[in-house]
Amino acid sequence: MVRRPTVYDVAERAGVSIATVSFTFRQPHRVKRSTKENVLAAAKELGYVPSGNARGLARGRTGALGIYSFDYYSLGPGQDPDSAAGSDGAKAPAFDDSNPDLRSFPVYVDEVQRGVALECRRRGYTLIVSGGNQAGSETAFADIAGQVDGLAVFPRSVSDDVLESISRMIPVVEFSERSHTDTLSGVTCDNAGGMRLLTEHLISTHGFKDLQFVGPSRIFPDSLARYEGFQTQLRSSGFAELHDPLVAEEGAPGWPEKLMENLLAQESLPEVLVCAQDEIALGLMGELSAHGISVPDQIAVTGFDGIAAGLVSSPQLTTIKQPMELMGRTAVGILLDRFEHPETAAQSLELPVQLVVRQSCGCLPL
Amino acid sequence: MVRRPTVYDVAERAGVSIATVSFTFRQPHRVKRSTKENVLAAAKELGYVPSGNARGLARGRTGALGIYSFDYYSLGPGQDPDSAAGSDGAKAPAFDDSNPDLRSFPVYVDEVQRGVALECRRRGYTLIVSGGNQAGSETAFADIAGQVDGLAVFPRSVSDDVLESISRMIPVVEFSERSHTDTLSGVTCDNAGGMRLLTEHLISTHGFKDLQFVGPSRIFPDSLARYEGFQTQLRSSGFAELHDPLVAEEGAPGWPEKLMENLLAQESLPEVLVCAQDEIALGLMGELSAHGISVPDQIAVTGFDGIAAGLVSSPQLTTIKQPMELMGRTAVGILLDRFEHPETAAQSLELPVQLVVRQSCGCLPL
DNA sequence: CTCCGACATCAATGCGCATAGATTCTTTAC
DNA sequence: GTAAAGAATCTATGCGCATTGATGTCGGAG
């Protein structure tokens, strides 16, 4: 491991000034061909790679975008973090995945991030990925904010005032939120409309009359909009009274069991459980199955998001699919627009969703 | 969008020197409590976030690791890149995913990257994600190499000499390769052993006598090792002659069709197709199904990697599962070890694999 | 009352690069 | 052959921060 060569080293070796070296890389047309070749050769021999930090500092921009999420896949409390790398597996000869762990599938955050990554690459930006964890959350956020030309964040991963503050300095787009301020951009999908569409399907195609909503305990704006869409459709379909929504303490250990208890504690089962998120629906279906309640024969279940795991579940999950990759790409577009035109106002976009009809509502055969 | 405040702004507002501001953040114990509070207040009011570039430059390290991959999910040739963000979807009322696009599932690269991301976060490093594409591949690599304290790369995403050169400056670990040099580290899995295990299963459990290997056209070291494992097991099971391997031009448009042609052009079908990668196996199963050839009844198929899509296929794919997340975490461990102890030699680790028995070999009922 | 050490703060410098402006070398036009 | 225009290169500077070594301040020991 030798010291990284700098422009000075290259300049010396090529017998030119550092400005010429820099020009060779940044403004090649300004350098005579022979000189250029000279410099490039010297650079190659030395293994020169420009320091991104120095470049960013000098140019006043980093050439990177950031994505920051909450710690949605944090290690469980019981885990020893130090054992994470290295000491894991004795060679197990066989492996049973008849009940696949959903965590091995990408969730909402992953799929959006993928879109961000693709678009960054296409536009020649690098992507910096970070996220909060219990420990150094503030620090981590400051770190990434200080390293990027624009930042995409997932909801509730950063406190509102910090976010508002940062968004005055660099373009920031938040997913799944309406933009709070005129400096903070947003990318959402049509939560209310999607849920109306789904609810309408359940009512008119399946003839359900007894629908119950299941929402998360942490009220995210998107969940709220979905609940509103649900209610709106019920009303416009002429339903008068409706179940109180069930609340899933998603994230808390054992939440599916607890949710199931609450469901069974009701005097009767609804015909269909309309879940605000795929993950809730999948967790619930696991419990229903464990209690011998057949989906969709005895009760139908639907989700919202369209994560890949919904294809693997049994039965496959009927859901509303968000255009997650597109949301990520769109976010990048907004960030770079604003970075290049700082005078423009923040913008919020809402993207369309799709109804995906599968087995868990009773449409497709198992 | 206002100018980002700097230490100078904070210092002025707090009535101290920039050194004190810096100390407040980096060495808080050296600053009197009252001063510290003063500075922190000023920083908060201004929305100060330290510049990562300046910090990195001053300290000689970036606090970031990088991951660089080939462009495994590049846009197809026919796509208009400019249409990617924004102008996509008319709101389709329904959506049929009875034949899910495998690209919506994470592939090998994604799952390894996820491990890298997790471990980076756990260790307080940010992660920079980049990858080559046809256009500015060299540039992209130089960009990321200049921004990180250590770099993980996927095989064949960077030319060997560039890699060798960079690995003399910063720690570099390559996945799925044996380490070429004493400066380049590697993380692989037990490709040969895994394939032997699988082959042995096919022979002794299923009694297959007519096995054919299907490999990729681009000979990666891991594919080679798998083929060797396959051959080794056949020999040690007393098989004399064996099929020539089939070659899948994976990546090229229409490769599954072409592969299928080549398969059918043989005088007889083997009993089982042992594929070097899950993706080949899945593509092949699609073609087999299209030709009305039933898997596993008429022909068995197996894969290698253990990507999530193999759970969704019909039939579900029997395969060897690499510990992808662990490989990513391990890579981070190696990089940071070397970053902290530059005098130590590069190291290569081989991680164990698991046999995952599902439907496509005929073990589980459909 | 003086001196010394501990503590708090500051001034000055360099990290590696991009770039404006100055300088030198080449080419073109007359 | 010469001057002006242009091309090529260089010198000098600043980006924002961390850090070293210097300076200043204060309290206690002598």
Side-chain angles (χ1 to χ4, degrees):
Chain A
M1 207 94 341
V2 303
R3 194 180 61 83
R4 286 160 89 129
T6 71
V7 273
Y8 296 95
D9 300 317
V10 177
E12 185 180 350
R13 180 156 190 139
V16 298
S17 76
I18 65 158
T20 302
V21 175
S22 186
F23 282 147
T24 300
F25 288 98
R26 302 303 148 215
Q27 311 185 42
H29 63 279
R30 289 186 56 174
V31 181
K32 191 165 50 168
R33 156 164 290 186
S34 61
T35 312
K36 195 168 9 183
E37 289 169 353
N38 213 350
V39 171
L40 290 175
K44 181 156 193 179
E45 287 165 22
L46 292 173
Y48 169 71
V49 172
S51 154
N53 284 329
R55 184 136 63 99
L57 187 56
R59 303 202 352 175
R61 39 171 297 189
T62 65
L65 295 184
I67 187 167
Y68 191 85
S69 61
F70 46 88
D71 201 8
Y72 60 97
Y73 44 14
S74 68
L75 298 173
Q79 287 208 19
D80 174 12
D82 288 326
S83 73
S87 60
D88 199 304
K91 183 165 179 173
F95 175 74
D96 172 31
D97 65 355
S98 54
N99 183 21
D101 184 356
L102 294 181
R103 288 188 311 171
S104 67
F105 289 88
V107 293
Y108 169 75
V109 172
D110 297 285
E111 301 199 23
V112 173
Q113 178 175 318
R114 178 192 175 95
V116 172
L118 283 168
E119 192 64 14
C120 277
R121 182 175 306 189
R122 197 174 72 72
R123 302 228 196 183
Y125 272 74
T126 55
L127 175 64
I128 302 190
V129 179
S130 183
N133 54 20
Q134 38 291 39
S137 187
E138 294 289 314
T139 308
F141 184 74
D143 274 357
I144 190 173
Q147 279 184 320
V148 298
D149 291 337
L151 190 52
V153 302
F154 285 96
R156 300 286 176 268
S157 47
V158 186
S159 74
D160 283 350
D161 56 333
V162 170
L163 206 54
E164 205 280 334
S165 171
I166 292 294
S167 70
R168 288 203 313 265
M169 316 296 163
I170 58 175
V172 177
V173 51
E174 191 175 22
F175 292 111
S176 306
E177 286 269 5
R178 300 183 185 100
S179 165
H180 317 287
T181 75
D182 54 351
T183 62
L184 183 59
S185 301
V187 172
T188 69
C189 72
D190 185 6
N191 287 302
M195 193 53 99
R196 286 195 61 171
L197 199 60
L198 174 60
T199 307
E200 201 273 337
H201 169 80
L202 295 173
I203 293 171
S204 58
T205 302
H206 294 278
F208 291 137
K209 296 194 180 340
D210 186 14
L211 302 84
Q212 182 165 28
F213 192 83
V214 187
S217 57
R218 303 177 61 189
I219 301 301
F220 287 45
D222 47 5
S223 297
L224 211 54
R226 290 169 197 175
Y227 185 50
E228 287 166 3
F230 175 73
Q231 288 180 302
T232 305
Q233 184 59 45
L234 287 191
R235 271 195 297 272
S236 77
S237 295
F239 284 60
E241 57 181 326
L242 40 83
H243 280 283
D244 289 333
L246 275 172
V247 173
E249 305 280 345
E250 24 71 77
W255 66 264
E257 290 82 352
K258 199 172 301 178
L259 178 57
M260 191 64 196
E261 281 177 26
N262 294 339
L263 175 61
L264 294 176
Q266 299 182 155
E267 46 192 60
S268 68
L269 283 184
E271 291 172 300
V272 52
L273 292 165
V274 179
C275 301
Q277 298 165 8
D278 282 356
E279 293 177 66
I280 293 177
L282 294 172
L284 204 42
M285 291 205 305
E287 280 304 300
L288 288 166
S289 161
H291 283 72
I293 302 175
S294 157
V295 177
D297 296 340
Q298 297 179 256
I299 189 169
V301 175
T302 66
F304 199 115
D305 276 348
I307 64 178
L311 268 171
V312 189
S313 59
S314 177
Q316 295 182 331
L317 187 63
T318 291
T319 190
I320 294 289
K321 189 174 178 62
Q322 296 193 50
M324 290 174 275
E325 180 184 318
L326 181 60
M327 290 171 70
R329 305 188 93 113
T330 303
V332 172
I334 291 178
L335 290 178
L336 294 184
D337 274 0
R338 283 211 84 212
F339 183 68
E340 284 155 20
H341 308 289
E343 71 285 0
T344 61
Q347 50 181 317
S348 287
L349 293 182
E350 184 180 271
L351 303 181
V353 297
Q354 292 177 313
L355 172 61
V356 179
V357 174
R358 300 202 191 103
Q359 299 167 336
S360 71
C361 66
C363 268
L364 269 54
L366 292 187
Chain B
M1 206 96 338
V2 304
R3 195 180 60 82
R4 286 160 88 129
T6 72
V7 273
Y8 295 95
D9 301 316
V10 177
E12 185 180 351
R13 177 156 194 140
V16 297
S17 76
I18 65 158
T20 302
V21 175
S22 186
F23 281 147
T24 299
F25 288 98
R26 302 303 149 213
Q27 309 185 41
H29 62 278
R30 288 187 57 175
V31 181
K32 191 166 49 166
R33 156 165 290 189
S34 61
T35 311
K36 194 168 12 184
E37 289 168 353
N38 212 350
V39 171
L40 290 176
K44 181 157 192 180
E45 288 164 23
L46 292 172
Y48 170 72
V49 172
S51 153
N53 283 329
R55 185 135 62 99
L57 187 56
R59 303 201 348 172
R61 38 170 298 188
T62 66
L65 295 184
I67 188 167
Y68 191 86
S69 61
F70 46 87
D71 200 9
Y72 60 98
Y73 44 17
S74 68
L75 298 174
Q79 289 209 17
D80 173 12
D82 289 325
S83 74
S87 60
D88 200 303
K91 182 164 179 174
F95 176 74
D96 171 31
D97 65 354
S98 54
N99 183 20
D101 183 358
L102 294 180
R103 287 188 313 171
S104 68
F105 289 88
V107 295
Y108 169 74
V109 172
D110 298 284
E111 302 199 23
V112 173
Q113 179 174 317
R114 178 192 176 95
V116 172
L118 285 168
E119 191 66 13
C120 276
R121 182 175 306 190
R122 197 173 72 71
R123 302 228 196 182
Y125 272 74
T126 54
L127 175 63
I128 301 190
V129 179
S130 182
N133 54 18
Q134 38 289 40
S137 186
E138 292 289 313
T139 308
F141 184 74
D143 274 357
I144 191 173
Q147 280 183 320
V148 298
D149 291 337
L151 190 53
V153 302
F154 286 96
R156 298 289 176 266
S157 47
V158 188
S159 74
D160 282 351
D161 57 334
V162 170
L163 206 55
E164 205 280 335
S165 172
I166 292 295
S167 71
R168 289 203 312 264
M169 315 297 163
I170 57 175
V172 178
V173 51
E174 190 174 23
F175 292 112
S176 306
E177 285 269 4
R178 299 182 186 99
S179 166
H180 317 287
T181 75
D182 54 350
T183 62
L184 183 59
S185 300
V187 172
T188 69
C189 73
D190 184 6
N191 288 302
M195 194 52 101
R196 286 196 59 171
L197 199 60
L198 174 60
T199 307
E200 201 273 335
H201 169 80
L202 295 172
I203 294 171
S204 58
T205 301
H206 294 278
F208 291 136
K209 295 192 178 345
D210 186 14
L211 303 83
Q212 182 163 29
F213 193 84
V214 186
S217 58
R218 303 176 63 188
I219 301 301
F220 287 45
D222 47 5
S223 297
L224 212 54
R226 291 169 197 175
Y227 185 50
E228 287 167 4
F230 174 74
Q231 289 181 303
T232 306
Q233 184 59 46
L234 288 191
R235 272 195 297 273
S236 77
S237 294
F239 284 61
E241 55 181 328
L242 40 84
H243 279 283
D244 289 333
L246 275 171
V247 174
E249 304 281 345
E250 24 71 77
W255 66 263
E257 290 82 353
K258 200 171 300 176
L259 177 58
M260 191 66 196
E261 280 176 28
N262 294 339
L263 175 62
L264 294 176
Q266 300 182 156
E267 48 192 59
S268 68
L269 283 184
E271 291 173 301
V272 52
L273 292 165
V274 180
C275 302
Q277 299 165 8
D278 281 356
E279 292 177 66
I280 293 177
L282 293 172
L284 205 43
M285 290 204 307
E287 281 303 301
L288 288 166
S289 162
H291 283 72
I293 301 175
S294 157
V295 177
D297 295 340
Q298 298 178 255
I299 189 169
V301 175
T302 65
F304 199 114
D305 277 347
I307 64 179
L311 268 172
V312 189
S313 59
S314 177
Q316 295 183 330
L317 187 62
T318 291
T319 190
I320 294 288
K321 188 174 179 63
Q322 296 193 49
M324 290 174 275
E325 180 184 320
L326 181 61
M327 289 170 71
R329 304 189 93 112
T330 304
V332 172
I334 291 179
L335 290 178
L336 294 184
D337 274 359
R338 283 210 84 211
F339 184 68
E340 284 154 21
H341 308 290
E343 72 284 1
T344 61
Q347 50 180 318
S348 288
L349 294 182
E350 184 180 272
L351 303 180
V353 297
Q354 291 177 315
L355 173 61
V356 178
V357 174
R358 299 202 191 103
Q359 299 167 335
S360 71
C361 66
C363 267
L364 268 54
L366 291 190

